[in-house]
């Protein structure tokens, strides 16, 4: 069944109103008509089954038939700090991360990122990423939009991830002193989880762009107590590394239920 993301204020008196670009997409592109049924999703993690009652050239009206609550993303929440890669790779990663249940992405610039300063990000790129998130949310049916932070610099990224008992961090880096990801997760469990301790609220994954990270950046990570982790001997593309890390964490922490 088709799903569409809407704003809560589009619902009034058990009816949903569609206008503008959203109206064009649903009724011109997707060819929904009077009598058709589909779901709409709102930011409060609710999905509504609706029936189209009227369609004009400028707007449409649908009546709510059923309501259901979409299960919230389980904890620990997974966050991705990503050194900006080529834009098509970034687009692909955002789309798939949304579908995989990532809570947020923090794009940042680093020594080898595709752009080196925040102001180099083309105008409208942030809006494009938001549209990709909405589209992927409609496709997978999750109950909230993944957050895409404003592009930031290396130092601000380090302050944001804030490694602690409630914010675990995994630093993906192909260099010296590489540690298998399974061993690092085991070490974090031993470090932070006493017999009665709860799982962390958040787990951050830090991934480089196509150029990876510099030696100096790796040393800064080490000072934060982050050990470089690897996914094996194969060299993975940026988007493959991101999704593999997310999948590993979802399996390790039982987030696939």
């Amino acid at each position: 069944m088709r799903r569409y993301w809407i704003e809560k204020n589009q619902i009034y008196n058990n009816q949903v109103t569609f206008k503008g670009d959203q109206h064009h997409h649903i009724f011109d592109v997707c060819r929904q008509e009077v009598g058709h049924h589909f779901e709409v999703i709102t930011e409060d993690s609710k999905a509504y089954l609706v029936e189209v009652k009227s369609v004009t050239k400028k707007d449409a009206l649908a009546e709510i038939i059923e309501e259901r609550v979409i299960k919230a993303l389980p904890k620990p929440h997974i966050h991705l700090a990503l050194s900006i890669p080529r834009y098509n790779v970034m687009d692909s990663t955002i789309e798939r991360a949304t579908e995989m249940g990532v809570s947020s992405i923090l794009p940042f610039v680093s020594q080898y990122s595709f752009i080196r300063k925040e102001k180099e990000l083309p105008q409208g790129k942030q809006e494009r990423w938001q549209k990709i998130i909405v589209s992927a949310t409609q496709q997978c049916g999750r109950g909230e939009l993944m957050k895409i932070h404003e592009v930031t610099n290396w130092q601000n990224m380090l302050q944001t991830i804030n490694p602690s008992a409630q914010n675990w961090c995994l630093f993906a880096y192909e260099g010296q002193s590489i540690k298998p990801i399974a061993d690092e997760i085991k070490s974090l469990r031993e470090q932070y989880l006493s017999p009665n301790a709860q799982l962390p609220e958040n787990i951050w994954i830090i991934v480089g762009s196509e150029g990876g990270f510099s030696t100096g950046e790796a040393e800064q990570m080490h000072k934060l107590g982050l050990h470089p982790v690897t996914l094996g001997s194969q060299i993975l593309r940026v988007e493959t590394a991101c999704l593999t890390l997310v999948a590993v964490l979802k399996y390790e922490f039982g987030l696939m239920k």
Side-chain angles (χ1 to χ4, degrees):
M1 177 178 292
R2 289 272 191 173
R3 303 183 189 91
Y4 304 99
W5 183 268
I6 67 169
E7 300 297 328
K8 187 69 175 180
N9 59 17
Q10 291 178 236
I11 300 176
Y12 178 74
N13 197 24
N14 210 48
Q15 293 182 322
V16 185
T17 302
F18 305 92
K19 296 181 179 180
D21 291 342
Q22 188 182 69
H23 172 274
H24 171 71
H25 175 71
I26 295 174
F27 298 98
D28 296 333
V29 178
C30 296
R31 304 298 180 91
Q32 300 286 1
E33 299 176 356
V34 172
H36 284 191
H37 293 169
F38 53 82
E39 274 194 329
V40 293
I41 306 172
T42 63
E43 66 271 16
D44 56 0
S45 295
K46 289 184 179 179
Y48 302 90
L49 177 65
V50 301
E51 180 180 341
V52 181
K53 293 299 184 181
S54 66
V55 180
T56 69
K57 291 184 178 180
K58 293 185 177 181
D59 57 31
L61 191 68
E63 182 178 348
I64 295 175
I65 301 173
E66 293 179 3
E67 174 186 328
R68 67 181 178 90
V69 176
I70 301 174
K71 189 175 181 180
L73 293 175
K75 293 182 180 180
H77 291 157
I78 299 173
H79 305 270
L80 174 61
L82 179 59
S83 176
I84 297 178
R86 289 176 293 112
Y87 295 135
N88 64 317
V89 174
M90 187 72 180
D91 291 354
S92 176
T93 303
I94 289 171
E95 180 181 58
R96 285 154 179 76
T98 302
E99 295 174 3
M100 289 286 287
V102 172
S103 291
S104 73
I105 291 183
L106 175 62
F108 65 92
V109 293
S110 60
Q111 189 168 342
Y112 299 145
S113 56
F114 186 64
I115 59 174
R116 306 298 168 82
K117 296 180 180 179
E118 302 97 306
K119 65 182 181 181
E120 293 178 4
L121 188 74
Q123 186 176 6
K125 186 61 68 175
Q126 201 84 27
E127 290 78 4
R128 171 174 170 76
W129 291 342
Q130 190 64 35
K131 288 180 180 180
I132 292 172
I133 291 170
V134 170
S135 178
T137 301
Q138 294 174 164
Q139 189 279 326
C140 69
R142 61 184 281 177
E144 67 271 12
L145 296 177
M146 181 181 72
K147 182 176 181 178
I148 182 80
H149 295 267
E150 295 289 331
V151 175
T152 191
N153 58 41
W154 172 259
Q155 293 301 327
N156 286 338
M157 182 276 292
L158 295 181
Q159 294 176 13
T160 300
I161 61 174
N162 187 28
S164 67
Q166 291 303 310
N167 292 291
W168 293 9
C169 299
L170 295 173
F171 172 43
Y173 176 64
E174 295 301 326
Q176 295 180 347
S177 302
I178 292 300
K179 193 175 186 180
I181 185 173
D183 291 351
E184 180 63 8
I185 292 174
K186 181 180 179 181
S187 296
L188 289 169
R189 288 181 183 274
E190 293 173 349
Q191 179 180 354
Y192 291 120
L193 296 185
S194 62
N196 297 321
Q198 295 182 342
L199 289 172
E201 292 283 323
N202 306 291
I203 300 180
W204 281 93
I205 302 168
I206 303 97
V207 180
S209 61
E210 291 87 353
F213 293 111
S214 69
T215 302
E217 288 166 342
E219 289 175 352
Q220 285 186 278
M221 287 292 190
H222 182 72
K223 290 179 180 179
L224 285 178
L226 303 185
H227 305 99
V229 299
T230 182
L231 292 168
S233 58
Q234 290 82 13
I235 304 300
L236 303 181
R237 295 178 185 271
V238 173
E239 60 268 52
T240 306
C242 291
L243 299 184
T244 303
L245 286 161
V246 172
V248 167
L249 291 178
K250 292 187 70 172
Y251 174 79
E252 286 285 341
F253 292 92
L255 304 180
M256 293 183 172
K257 299 176 182 178

